[in-house]
Amino acid sequence: MKAVKVERRRLNSELKNIFEYPFSIIEAPIGYGKTTAIKDYVAFEECNAFYINFLSEKNVLPFFWKSFCEVIGKIDRAEGEKLEGLGFPDDALKLANIISILEEVEYPKKTVIILDDFHLLNEPDINLFLKTVVSSGFKDLHIVLVTRNTANLDLAEFLAKGLVYIFPQKQLAFTLPEVRKLCKLKRLHLTEEQIGEIYELTGGWVSLVYL
């Protein structure tokens, strides 16, 4: 059976901000619909989206680097192969060389790399790499982290330099009209009072509303 989805234009309107910054963060606990929100948005928006989905805390660094090189390779095969050949930048010289390679890539308009379940990472070297890439200001390249928390990130410098957009967590919650619309789509014959009770009990949080 096809899943029932409520079109939430206000989320798309808010998520347009990811293209105003080189770096964006969507942070919320499990079940808040953050991954669904970004997937629906990039499907709606005319952009070039690439996903790196972290599934485990093990072997994160080699997985990240292989995945990142594959993403760049889809944009520019030759430069992607150069990155993979160099390996993950574990020293300043290699990092500088990799940034030089990334500078040679011509990113399509509105290119976005989405790193999902970023909370599984505990690799300072990956954070340093992302910080360097973001600070380099590559035209049309945007990085979005989807995460349950930002305990593994130091955001102070990003915030101070105006490099990061933090998606307002409260925007992920369903509004009362959206809960009403969902009930209608699911063909639930509920009174206005019952719909209001669902909204109050769940606080509008996505997974609970769908239950």
Side-chain angles (χ1 to χ4, degrees), residues 69-86 101-102 104-105:
C69 292
E70 286 175 353
V71 167
I72 299 302
K74 289 175 182 177
I75 300 170
D76 187 319
R77 183 176 177 181
E79 302 305 330
E81 288 175 353
K82 287 180 187 177
L83 290 177
E84 195 162 8
L86 274 175
I101 291 171
L102 292 174
E104 296 301 313
V105 178

Side-chain angles (χ1 to χ4, degrees), residues 3-8 11-12 15 26 29 31-44 51 53 114 116-117 146 167 172 174 206-207 210:
V4 173
K5 279 190 177 182
V6 175
E7 185 180 4
R8 305 170 77 195
L11 285 188
N12 290 346
L15 283 166
I26 303 175
Y32 277 41
K34 51 193 180 294
T35 297
T36 300
I38 189 65
K39 282 186 174 180
D40 287 350
Y41 174 65
V42 297
F44 161 82
Y51 291 88
N53 299 302
I114 299 162
D116 200 2
D117 282 335
V146 181
F167 181 83
L172 291 170
F174 272 61
V206 177
S207 59
Y210 272 94

Side-chain angles (χ1 to χ4, degrees), residues 13-198:
S13 180
E14 183 69 39
L15 283 166
K16 285 181 180 178
N17 286 305
I18 67 174
F19 295 114
E20 301 298 323
Y21 295 82
F23 189 42
S24 297
I25 295 173
I26 303 175
E27 177 190 2
I30 188 172
Y32 277 41
K34 51 193 180 294
T35 297
T36 300
I38 189 65
K39 282 186 174 180
D40 287 350
Y41 174 65
V42 297
F44 161 82
E45 185 68 40
E46 290 185 8
C47 62
N48 297 279
F50 302 92
Y51 291 88
I52 298 177
N53 299 302
F54 296 99
L55 304 174
S56 169
E57 297 178 357
K58 297 180 180 179
N59 301 314
V60 165
L61 199 151
F63 170 77
F64 167 76
W65 190 244
K66 183 175 185 297
S67 301
F68 184 82
C69 292
E70 286 175 353
V71 167
I72 299 302
K74 289 175 182 177
I75 300 170
D76 187 319
R77 183 176 177 181
E79 302 305 330
E81 288 175 353
K82 287 180 187 177
L83 290 177
E84 195 162 8
L86 274 175
F88 185 81
D90 50 11
D91 61 47
L93 179 58
K94 191 181 287 187
L95 180 58
N97 288 336
I98 283 171
I99 293 300
S100 294
I101 291 171
L102 292 174
E103 286 174 344
E104 296 301 313
V105 178
E106 188 173 335
Y107 302 96
K109 190 175 182 180
K110 292 187 175 180
T111 295
V112 55
I113 301 176
I114 299 162
L115 307 180
D116 200 2
D117 282 335
F118 192 80
H119 55 273
L120 292 174
L121 275 71
N122 189 22
E123 288 283 351
D125 287 345
I126 292 178
N127 290 344
L128 175 60
F129 172 72
L130 291 175
K131 177 182 174 181
T132 306
V133 170
V134 169
S135 299
S136 297
F138 298 116
K139 187 177 185 296
D140 290 318
L141 177 61
H142 310 271
I143 295 175
V144 176
L145 304 189
V146 181
T147 183
R148 293 182 194 172
N149 62 70
T150 54
N152 56 351
L153 282 171
D154 181 3
L155 297 175
E157 187 173 341
F158 293 116
L159 290 167
K161 293 182 177 179
L163 295 174
V164 63
Y165 163 66
I166 299 178
F167 181 83
Q169 187 182 105
K170 65 181 181 180
Q171 292 288 344
L172 291 170
F174 272 61
T175 62
L176 180 57
E178 288 169 346
V179 173
R180 187 183 296 115
K181 189 173 182 179
L182 176 63
C183 291
K184 185 177 180 180
L185 288 171
K186 294 182 72 116
R187 298 180 181 178
L188 299 175
H189 302 292
L190 302 175
T191 65
E192 189 64 27
E193 183 179 354
Q194 289 172 320
I195 292 171
E197 286 177 358
I198 291 172

